[in-house]
Amino acid sequence: MTDFTGKHGLIVGVANKRSISWAIARAVAGRGARLALTYQGERLEENVRELAQELTDPLILPCDVTSDEQVAEVYRAIGREFGGLDFLLHGVAFAPREELEGPFVQTTREGFRIALDVSAYSLVSLTRGAVPLMAARGGGSVLTLTYLGSERVFPNYNVMGVAKAALEAAMRYLASDLGPQNIRVNAISAGPIKTLAASGISGFTSILGIYRDHAPLRRTVDAEEVAAAAAFLLSGDASAVTGDVFYVDGGFHAMGM
Ligand code: NAP
């Protein structure tokens, strides 16, 4: 089993116990990693602090990814506490609810801006902040979470599909920039999982049914299955993997019909 003993990681995107980021936090902490977890705003602080009670000596920090100052403060705190960083998990996405229903052609300029800023640009700014801390460790691993709606049309996924396409492209450009410093950057494209973010997508439950009927494994996936793949990609076991979208979706992406 992948070992994270002595490794330090930053996990961004825990909202509650259903969050994919939380499953990933548990998987890597269970293998020995010490973690910094962020929460977005006071509304989620209590949730994250309560969940983090099962971790050993976690660092809990506020971070709205649209604030450059908060991102900078996260890395100052990690530098002080950890002295470096081995991995970063980016599990953040948001679009205004009204953009995730109805025709994509109605997407507003502001909805587009917010979705791309929170869901895609945040990978760039968070990765940039991590670079000096990862360089201090001789390298690192960055992982983000995406969805097949970046490549194919899913009803109501709308601007989030466009944001995920930008996220995947950003992942590849970052992998190219940072490879010479031994920093790897990858994405997991996960099958649909019932989480807070997913509940914002109109008709989400019907997507689950389509995976049950058409994915090779005849089911969707759970957060623990995504977390197992994430632990691999975040670890030294994946030392030659970068710039990749890794599918954990029961094989759905392989199907034509
Ligand atoms: P989740 O638990 O709701 O996680 C999404 C996280 O993003 C929440 O913690 C959310 O906080 C945070 N966030 C939104 N805006 C933010 C901001 N400005 N600053 C900081 N954090 C912010 O849902 P999830 O399904 O686990 O999503 C995690 C990632 O997996 C997302 O990138 C999602 O697109 C991706 N993904 C999900 C699925 C799925 O079916 N669930 C499939 C493939 C990929 P708030 O609650 O405060 O907004």
Side-chain angles (χ1 to χ4, degrees):
M1 190 167 82
T2 308
D3 186 19
F4 283 87
T5 306
K7 302 289 185 193
H8 292 88
L10 168 60
I11 305 277
V12 182
V14 177
N16 58 37
K17 65 175 193 237
R18 289 178 198 274
S19 297
I20 300 171
S21 301
W22 175 239
I24 295 170
R26 293 183 78 191
V28 294
R31 292 158 164 86
R34 188 175 168 208
L35 298 179
L37 257 55
T38 64
Y39 59 87
Q40 194 222 354
E42 284 168 19
R43 187 171 53 87
L44 292 178
E45 178 174 5
E46 204 180 310
N47 270 357
V48 173
R49 286 198 185 278
E50 206 175 305
L51 288 171
Q53 280 173 8
E54 73 173 75
L55 305 177
T56 306
D57 204 12
L59 195 56
I60 313 289
L61 303 162
C63 185
D64 180 331
V65 296
T66 61
S67 161
D68 289 335
E69 183 42 44
Q70 286 191 28
V71 170
E73 185 47 42
V74 164
Y75 286 117
R76 279 194 287 273
I78 288 175
R80 280 194 303 272
E81 278 290 316
F82 296 169
L85 192 68
D86 299 289
F87 62 89
L88 160 67
L89 185 274
H90 172 273
V92 174
F94 178 78
R97 186 174 274 263
E98 57 276 16
E99 305 290 355
L100 301 174
E101 58 189 16
F104 171 73
V105 71
Q106 299 296 349
T107 303
T108 64
R109 186 185 299 275
E110 186 60 0
F112 191 98
R113 187 194 65 73
I114 292 170
L116 272 282
D117 184 15
V118 176
S119 316
Y121 180 72
S122 59
L123 177 69
V124 182
S125 64
L126 280 165
T127 301
R128 185 168 58 238
V131 167
L133 291 162
M134 289 184 170
R137 294 285 168 87
S141 178
V142 177
L143 181 65
T144 187
L145 299 172
T146 188
Y147 181 60
L148 190 61
S150 61
E151 302 167 49
R152 318 238 184 109
V153 173
F154 288 81
N156 301 317
Y157 201 61
N158 292 359
V159 71
M160 190 52 76
V162 177
K164 292 302 192 190
L167 177 73
E168 291 170 24
M171 176 277 289
R172 286 186 284 272
Y173 277 88
L174 291 167
S176 168
D177 276 359
L178 303 176
Q181 295 176 73
N182 195 31
I183 296 171
R184 300 179 295 103
V185 190
N186 292 288
I188 285 181
S189 185
I193 300 171
K194 268 193 181 167
T195 61
L196 194 62
S199 69
I201 300 157
S202 182
F204 179 78
T205 314
S206 68
I207 298 182
L208 291 177
I210 288 167
Y211 276 68
R212 272 194 292 272
D213 291 344
H214 297 288
L217 295 182
R218 296 290 186 275
R219 62 177 179 87
T220 186
V221 300
D222 63 36
E224 285 65 36
E225 291 175 306
V226 176
F232 164 68
L233 288 167
L234 290 172
S235 78
D237 287 355
S239 56
V241 183
T242 195
D244 196 33
V245 178
F246 190 90
Y247 294 86
V248 183
D249 69 347
F252 185 85
H253 69 283
M255 303 304 290
M257 278 180 78

